[in-house]
Amino acid sequence: MTTMLRGVDAAAPVPFTPTIIAGALNHVQGKRSLGPMRYVQTLAASGAPFDVLSVHPYNTQMRCGLAEGVVSRFQKKSCGTAYPNVVLGTFPRFLAEVARLWPGRDVPIWVTEDGWETPGSDYQDPNSVSPRQQQLLLIQTIRAFRRMPQVKVYVNFTIVDDAGLIDGRLPSGTWQTGLRYLDGTPKPG
């Protein structure tokens, strides 16, 4: 990998050990979107070098909690999104596909974004969870990922909620997944 970083000057020093991260995988969003499973299949077929796979397994339906994507023998379909999208409930299938695509290789997985969205202090989102539910779900999420040895890193997306209320509405692209409200006050829970 350091050869690529040196570019033209093969003798140039590289002052760090690079880590090539492939991914930042989220859900399939539209016909032109390259979803997480297709992405890893394409990556494997290309033979492109990487050190770590990054994934963002956000739930699409907070009300489903850790069960999003799981189909039990009593249900005909999952709560919220379904495989091939990657959420905590479908993560075992994602890990199995990674193992199938790179046999004999221990591919480290970094969950570089995830979180449980709460209503903002001035904004109510019908797809959010209470601050207490956020705390419980975050603890359960971290415990679940700790039981998966391939997952080496877990990052909650934002410590402090995003700003951005415009005319009383939360614009697209802002998140209330922080552990503190916008003013820095810790969320109860």
Side-chain angles (χ1 to χ4, degrees):
M1 297 297 154
T2 57
T3 305
M4 293 186 323
L5 293 174
R6 287 188 182 109
V8 180
D9 185 357
V14 176
F16 59 90
T17 302
T19 299
I20 308 301
I21 302 172
L25 310 170
N26 202 321
H27 303 97
V28 175
Q29 298 176 352
K31 289 190 284 186
R32 300 189 67 151
S33 176
L34 186 63
M37 296 313 301
R38 191 161 151 226
Y39 176 84
V40 297
Q41 292 162 349
T42 303
L43 181 65
S46 76
F50 70 95
D51 298 310
V52 172
L53 275 178
S54 167
V55 65
H56 300 172
Y58 288 105
N59 274 30
T60 60
Q61 297 295 315
M62 301 294 171
R63 66 179 168 74
C64 299
L66 301 184
E68 181 163 4
V70 176
V71 179
S72 76
R73 61 185 183 159
F74 303 109
Q75 298 171 298
K76 297 207 186 282
K77 64 180 203 165
S78 68
C79 181
T81 192
Y83 186 82
N85 286 324
V86 178
V87 294
L88 186 56
T90 62
F91 221 82
R93 288 182 76 177
F94 173 73
L95 294 177
E97 183 67 0
V98 168
R100 184 187 74 75
L101 292 168
W102 290 279
R105 179 175 173 192
D106 181 22
V107 177
I109 308 293
W110 289 3
V111 177
T112 53
E113 274 190 33
D114 193 33
W116 298 93
E117 193 156 32
T118 63
S121 55
D122 298 326
Y123 174 76
Q124 300 299 313
D125 180 354
N127 190 35
S128 61
V129 297
S130 73
R132 176 71 179 140
Q133 288 172 311
Q134 179 195 42
Q135 178 192 40
L136 295 173
L137 287 165
L138 183 57
I139 290 168
Q140 292 170 347
T141 300
I142 291 169
R143 285 181 180 158
F145 281 125
R146 279 186 178 163
R147 289 190 297 270
M148 300 176 196
Q150 303 93 320
V151 177
K152 308 297 185 193
V153 172
Y154 177 85
V155 178
N156 186 75
F157 183 65
T158 71
I159 298 299
V160 178
D161 285 347
D162 274 356
L165 286 179
I166 298 174
D167 296 328
R169 293 183 33 222
L170 193 65
S172 177
T174 63
W175 288 92
Q176 310 305 308
T177 56
L179 306 178
R180 294 177 175 266
Y181 291 112
L182 183 58
D183 66 3
T185 305
K187 291 184 181 178

